[in-house]
């Protein structure tokens, strides 16, 4: 049977208990109903949303109708909408739970069932295994009561909140007019991102027409993930063609945001999630209260851990996933994970949100342009202040999740004492006590760090690489980048040979 992993169920669209289908969704919802009742939350409000994948409309309807038949007031969102809207609605409406039918950036053959609990945070252990037990106990036919979809009031409230972020987080200061190239990668975020940008004052937006309307087959990309090679080719071609100041891609359910920037030679590149992460984190901290908290994960760059104290903020580190990051601690004002997930407004959305990240990115580019500067200039400043932090990732796609876990187990049984010629210290996160215990291996040398773990959502073995190179003056940056690139290349070769 499909089991609860990262915040819920995710798997291929197929018949049987190992696939996403109406029977699986029905049993999952009935189990969730009983789990909520067992915690005296029966009859509490529930939010149900969906993306535009194959099966999503049918799965969302079944979910809403089962909750309604069980006596829960249900807000069934009107049509296919981004995942962050559900996270927002659960928190805004004081719901006891929310379900979004989505497989995020997985292939077109997949779908999923993502669960939010009260406060709008993702499902977290041990609730996942407790709900599984309730699902296993479902034996009777499950009743359903028709549900009328809600109007767009909660969507408009979400848009109002997102569009206000530049004035709240960006602070006072001049802003230049900018041109934006945008793609939602055939997902459900296109219209909402354009509307949010326009409401925030960014109306010069050019979209990748071939990828703008929702299409569950994702015909122009091999994998609908902005991080995958080739996924943003059409976006960057559009950026060059229209002379954009910044390129923005959101993934199919719009909870992730990737950013592309122009280079001095008129070419473009996509920023890594760690680069966007520190840029937005610094932006939020400019207007944050004293002793605010920012957070990232064990697989992300160490740069935020250096920037935070320099800006008078606290720093926390969690396991991968926003089910952990959203619970990083009191006073949280910003969190990110290197997989292009950014939470810039945790008071409203306790999860990654590609739409709010896109709006804040546009505002940052506009403020820098007014000062005659770019995102590249800002990143160079960080290199001079904290050292050049260069990151990369190697993802080895395998036949199954079990194969990825086996790969980590083999490495655990025979860990190297050096990687790419550099001596390393080894930490097995399975031997760590408390909330930081997970199936991951961390190797650290004097100037490099490698984290290896199985993916929580896909059949992949993932390797996260970071090289830190001291830089004393601007003139040293080109040589530092060359040195860092060579070091990263050696680390990539090692990981590809695993």
């Amino acid at each position: 049977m499909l089991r609860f992993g990262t915040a819920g169920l995710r798997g291929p669209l197929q018949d049987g208990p190992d696939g996403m289908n109406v029977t699986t969704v029905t049993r999952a919802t009935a189990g969730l109903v009983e789990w909520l009742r067992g915690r005296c939350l029966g009859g509490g409000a529930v939010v149900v949303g969906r993306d535009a994948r194959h099966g999503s409309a049918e799965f969302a309807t079944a979910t809403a109708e089962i909750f309604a038949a069980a006596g829960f007031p249900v807000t069934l969102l009107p049509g296919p909408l981004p995942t962050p809207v559900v996270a927002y609605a659960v928190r805004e409406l004081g719901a006891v739970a929310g379900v979004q039918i989505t497989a995020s950036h997985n292939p077109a053959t997949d779908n999923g069932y993502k669960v939010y609990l009260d406060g709008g945070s993702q499902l977290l252990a041990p609730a996942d295994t407790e709900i599984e037990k309730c699902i296993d106990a479902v034996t009777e036919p499950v009743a359903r009561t028709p549900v009328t979809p809600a109007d767009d009031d909660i969507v408009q409230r979400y848009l109002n909140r997102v569009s206000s972020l530049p004035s709240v987080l960006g602070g006072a200061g001049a802003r230049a007019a900018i041109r934006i190239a945008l793609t939602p990668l055939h997902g459900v975020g296109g219209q909402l991102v354009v509307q949010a940008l326009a409401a925030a004052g960014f109306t010069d937006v050019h979209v990748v027409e071939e990828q703008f309307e929702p299409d569950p087959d994702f015909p122009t990309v091999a994998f609908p993930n902005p991080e995958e090679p080739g996924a943003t080719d059409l976006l960057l071609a559009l950026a060059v063609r229209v002379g954009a100041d910044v390129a923005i891609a959101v993934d199919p359910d719009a909870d992730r945001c990737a950013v592309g920037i122009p280079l001095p030679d008129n070419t473009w590149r996509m920023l890594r999630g760690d680069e966007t992460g520190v840029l937005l984190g610094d932006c939020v901290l400019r207007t944050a209260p004293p002793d605010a908290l920012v957070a990232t994960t064990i697989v992300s760059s160490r740069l935020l851990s250096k920037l935070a104290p320099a800006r008078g903020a606290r720093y926390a580190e969690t396991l991968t996933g926003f089910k952990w990051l959203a619970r990083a601690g009191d006073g949280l004002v910003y969190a990110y994970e290197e997989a292009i997930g950014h939470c810039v407004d945790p008071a409203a959305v306790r999860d990654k949100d590609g739409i709010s990240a896109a709006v804040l990115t546009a505002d940052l580019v506009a403020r820098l342009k007014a000062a005659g500067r770019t995102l590249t200039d800002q990143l160079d400043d960080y290199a001079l202040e904290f050292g050049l932090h260069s990151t990369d990732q190697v993802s080895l796609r395998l036949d199954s999740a079990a194969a990825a876990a086996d790969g980590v187990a083999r490495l655990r049984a025979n860990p190297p004492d050096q990687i790419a010629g550099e001596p390393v210290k080894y930490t097995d996160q399975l031997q760590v006590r408390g909330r930081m215990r997970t199936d991951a291996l961390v190797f650290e040398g004097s100037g490099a760090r490698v984290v290896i773990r199985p993916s929580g959502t896909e059949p992949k073995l993932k390797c996260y690489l970071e090289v830190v190179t001291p830089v004393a003056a601007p003139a040293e940056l080109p040589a530092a980048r060359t040195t860092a690139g060579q070091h990263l290349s050696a680390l990539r070769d090692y990981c590809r040979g695993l």
Side-chain angles (χ1 to χ4, degrees):
M1 294 179 64
L2 286 185
R3 292 295 180 183
F4 274 72
T6 301
L9 300 170
R10 193 178 296 187
L13 288 158
Q14 60 187 27
D15 293 336
D18 59 343
M20 282 295 298
N21 51 66
V22 172
T23 300
T24 295
V25 169
T26 297
R27 289 176 57 84
T29 306
L32 181 54
V33 163
E34 291 308 311
W35 183 84
L36 290 168
R37 284 173 169 169
R39 276 139 193 82
C40 300
L41 297 173
V46 173
V47 178
V48 178
R50 67 174 177 93
D51 64 12
R53 285 176 175 266
H54 294 295
S56 287
E58 187 178 12
F59 298 162
T61 297
T63 300
E65 291 183 350
I66 292 165
F67 273 117
F72 291 78
V74 178
T75 298
L76 175 61
L77 296 183
L81 287 164
T83 295
V85 177
V86 172
Y88 170 82
V90 171
R91 192 167 179 83
E92 177 73 4
L93 299 176
V96 298
V99 174
Q100 170 77 344
I101 304 298
T102 182
S104 188
H105 55 272
N106 274 38
T109 52
D110 290 357
N111 212 325
Y113 184 99
K114 187 171 186 177
V115 178
Y116 293 93
L117 300 182
D118 60 305
S121 295
Q122 292 183 19
L123 178 72
L124 184 68
D128 50 2
T129 55
E130 292 170 353
I131 294 170
E132 283 180 354
K133 291 178 181 178
C134 293
I135 294 171
D136 292 341
V138 175
T139 57
E140 300 298 324
V142 179
R144 292 172 56 165
T145 297
V147 175
T148 301
D151 60 25
D152 63 356
D153 174 69
I154 193 66
V155 181
Q156 189 58 53
R157 285 154 69 178
Y158 168 80
L159 279 171
N160 293 342
R161 176 78 184 202
V162 170
S163 62
S164 71
L165 290 177
S167 60
V168 174
L169 300 179
R175 290 164 171 81
I178 61 168
R179 177 166 295 172
I180 300 169
L182 171 71
T183 180
L185 289 178
H186 301 292
V188 296
Q191 290 289 349
L192 239 61
V193 177
V194 171
Q195 289 174 330
L197 287 168
F202 304 104
T203 57
D204 191 357
V205 179
H206 298 253
V207 302
V208 178
E209 296 291 349
E210 305 96 315
Q211 298 175 334
F212 191 72
E213 295 300 325
D215 188 330
D217 293 317
F218 308 109
T220 68
V221 291
F223 296 98
N225 181 349
E227 294 182 294
E228 291 283 349
T232 58
D233 286 356
L234 291 176
L235 171 67
L236 297 185
L238 172 66
V240 171
R241 193 162 62 247
V242 302
D245 295 288
V246 66
I248 295 174
V250 293
D251 73 336
D253 69 331
D255 65 349
R256 300 172 191 253
C257 175
V259 178
I261 61 171
L263 301 177
D265 62 358
N266 294 319
T267 60
W268 282 70
R269 77 172 179 94
M270 299 301 294
L271 294 179
R272 300 197 61 79
D274 284 314
E275 292 175 305
T276 308
V278 74
L279 286 164
L280 294 181
D282 198 12
C283 182
V284 170
L285 284 176
R286 265 200 317 274
T287 55
D291 205 35
L293 177 68
V294 295
T296 190
T297 73
I298 62 170
V299 303
S300 300
S301 169
R302 305 299 87 190
L303 180 52
L304 188 64
S305 70
K306 299 175 183 178
L307 181 139
R311 303 296 188 264
R314 293 175 293 127
Y315 169 81
E317 195 169 292
T318 75
L319 297 179
T320 55
F322 268 86
K323 62 183 180 182
W324 301 106
L325 283 170
R327 299 173 171 91
D330 294 337
L332 182 69
V333 297
Y334 175 75
Y336 92 91
E337 59 183 358
E338 55 76 39
I340 59 175
H342 312 281
C343 176
V344 304
D345 187 18
V349 178
R350 289 262 163 173
D351 198 6
K352 54 188 175 294
D353 183 351
I355 300 173
S356 61
V359 170
L360 199 58
T361 296
D363 184 65
L364 176 57
V365 171
R367 286 191 296 102
L368 288 171
K369 184 176 181 180
R373 289 167 51 79
T374 66
L375 294 179
T376 299
D377 296 328
Q378 190 70 40
L379 291 170
D380 287 349
D381 288 348
Y382 298 144
L384 293 169
E385 188 174 0
F386 305 110
L388 178 64
H389 289 62
S390 304
T391 61
D392 203 351
Q393 184 188 133
V394 174
S395 291
L396 305 176
R397 190 173 289 275
L398 304 174
D399 293 334
S400 66
D406 289 344
V408 176
R410 287 194 302 271
L411 192 59
R412 176 177 289 114
N414 188 26
D417 56 11
Q418 64 175 25
I419 294 179
E422 179 176 350
V424 292
K425 295 180 179 180
Y426 159 64
T427 301
D428 184 351
Q429 291 293 136
L430 273 183
Q431 302 302 316
V432 175
R433 293 184 178 182
R435 298 182 72 179
M436 293 299 287
R437 186 178 186 272
T438 188
D439 188 11
L441 308 175
V442 182
F443 301 92
E444 295 184 88
S446 60
R449 186 172 185 268
V450 178
V451 183
I452 302 173
R453 72 174 186 96
S455 170
T457 57
E458 299 176 89
K460 286 181 178 181
L461 185 65
K462 306 189 81 171
C463 308
Y464 306 85
L465 321 176
E466 180 169 36
V467 171
V468 181
T469 309
V471 183
E476 297 180 10
L477 277 168
R481 289 196 178 93
T482 298
T483 299
Q486 293 169 345
H487 201 166
L488 282 175
S489 179
L491 295 178
R492 283 194 298 269
D493 290 343
Y494 168 80
C495 293
R496 288 168 180 156
L498 292 175

